Amino acid sequence: HLAVLYPTPGSSWRKFAFVLPVTAMNLMQFVYLLRMWGDLPAFILNMFFFSAIFNALMRTWLVIIKRGQFEEFLDQLSTLFHSILDSTDEWGRGILRRAEQEARNLAILNLSASFLDIVGALVSPLFREERAHPFGVALPGVSMTSSPIYEVIYLAQLPTPLLLSMMYMPFVSLFAGLAIFGKAMLQLLVHRLAQIGGAEQPEEERLQRLASCVAYHTQVMRYVWQLNTLVANIVAVEAIIFGSIICSLLFCLNIITSPTQVISIVMYILTMLYVLFTYYNRANEICIENNRVAEAVYNVPWYEAGTRFRKTLLIFLMQTQHPLEIRVGNVYPMTLAMFQSLLNASYSYFTML
């Protein structure tokens, strides 16, 4: 609808109407940060807002710039999705329905939590003694706290819960949904491998089933590789941004005295941790399911089959030993162990501060 993906000649303008006002606000936030350099707590808090909105803009511009690649990838996903949905495998369709429901519930949760988070930021200035905007902005030579400029800017920021929720969380939900579908395909592959074998199964049928599994695994590998190509760099930048933000907010908790700000900062830290955990947990599930595929291949009763089947199975087993994972900047695998390492690094820098 916003034409970030699948724009038409009549709707292409919507993505610019969606993104450019937020880009302008982010630039005004940067000017405000330069003014707040001497006030450390205010500087850190507004640095969080600036970084979070910059991160949302970065994700959205990435999708706009790489629109063709994202659309091609989503078309491939659609083909794989309908190949399962239209099959006669009721067990596979059940996996697909559960994956779809899980992704849908996660998207609703993400949008709702993000909306409430930003509403809290919007309301918090009302409880302060001095005048302040929800998102600190400034223009050179303009007093942003004098009437009527203060009221105009505050009213202009009222749509931000809806606007930023639509910009910030959908990318997280998209990533999680794509990872959930990758996990579902691997679960389906494990199920198909478990159906190979048995004394009553003819040799030719076994070989056909195995060949089908090998071809499907190749499709899954291509799917995960393309997903990694699309998101590897953005998740690397976000790991740096989120790690720095968490470290800075923890430090800010030690130097502020306002209860309202303490509550806000705790809420922001939990938001960052939730987003990071969503990324790394979903990517970690792909690694776990890939290991189960290797186990399922190993458990195929090869000793009951002929030489050709055994050789094919051995090559397939070697193929499944290669890690199937999403990598941060194509360097580190996105696993829960990596998530823990990132938190340890943030906490170490915090204690140093």
Side-chain angles (χ1 to χ4, degrees), residues 92-119:
R93 292 203 300 271
I95 288 180
L96 194 63
R97 284 192 292 267
R98 288 193 295 272
E100 183 182 9
Q101 190 61 44
E102 183 181 0
R104 187 184 299 275
N105 292 340
L106 184 65
I108 294 171
L109 173 65
N110 287 347
L111 281 173
S112 303
S114 176
F115 181 82
L116 294 174
D117 207 16
I118 300 170
V119 166

Side-chain angles (χ1 to χ4, degrees), residues 210 302-315:
L210 180 60
W302 54 269
Y303 43 84
E304 297 177 354
T307 305
R308 186 182 175 192
F309 181 92
R310 296 182 185 186
K311 288 182 177 179
T312 306
L313 186 69
L314 182 59
I315 294 171

Side-chain angles (χ1 to χ4, degrees), residues 257-314:
T257 56
S258 168
T260 304
Q261 286 188 328
V262 170
I263 294 171
S264 299
I265 289 175
V266 170
M267 185 171 63
Y268 301 146
I269 291 174
L270 292 176
T271 301
M272 294 293 99
L273 291 176
Y274 171 74
V275 172
L276 274 177
F277 179 76
T278 300
Y279 274 140
Y280 285 79
N281 183 45
R282 297 302 175 183
N284 186 71
E285 288 178 345
I286 292 180
C287 299
I288 293 173
E289 289 302 325
N290 186 58
N291 292 335
R292 288 176 180 164
V293 170
E295 291 176 8
V297 174
Y298 188 80
N299 290 330
V300 170
W302 54 269
Y303 43 84
E304 297 177 354
T307 305
R308 186 182 175 192
F309 181 92
R310 296 182 185 186
K311 288 182 177 179
T312 306
L313 186 69
L314 182 59

Side-chain angles (χ1 to χ4, degrees), residues 164-239:
L164 293 177
S165 295
M166 290 190 296
M167 182 174 287
Y168 188 80
M169 277 302 183
F171 189 87
V172 179
S173 302
L174 177 66
F175 177 91
L178 297 176
I180 288 170
F181 183 66
K183 172 189 171 184
M185 287 194 294
L186 291 168
Q187 288 176 332
L188 180 59
L189 182 58
V190 170
H191 173 67
R192 290 179 179 178
L193 285 165
Q195 294 178 321
I196 299 176
E200 71 286 350
Q201 203 169 74
E203 179 70 18
E204 193 61 32
E205 183 182 346
R206 292 186 194 179
L207 197 56
Q208 287 178 356
R209 286 176 180 266
L210 180 60
S212 174
C213 289
V214 172
Y216 194 71
H217 185 254
T218 303
Q219 286 182 316
V220 177
M221 289 179 67
R222 187 183 302 114
Y223 173 88
V224 175
W225 179 81
Q226 289 181 336
L227 175 59
N228 181 70
T229 302
L230 288 174
V231 304
N233 293 330
I234 195 77
V235 295
V237 174
E238 288 186 349

Side-chain angles (χ1 to χ4, degrees), residues 13-56:
W13 62 271
R14 294 179 188 172
K15 61 174 174 280
F16 299 109
F18 176 53
V19 173
L20 291 179
V22 183
T23 303
M25 187 176 82
N26 201 229
L27 291 172
M28 293 168 68
Q29 284 181 292
F30 182 73
V31 176
Y32 184 78
L33 280 176
L34 297 178
R35 288 188 178 182
M36 299 301 294
W37 181 255
D39 187 353
L40 191 56
F43 178 82
I44 292 175
L45 199 56
N46 283 280
M47 175 60 80
F48 162 76
F49 289 128
F50 170 78
S51 301
I53 295 175
F54 175 77
N55 183 35

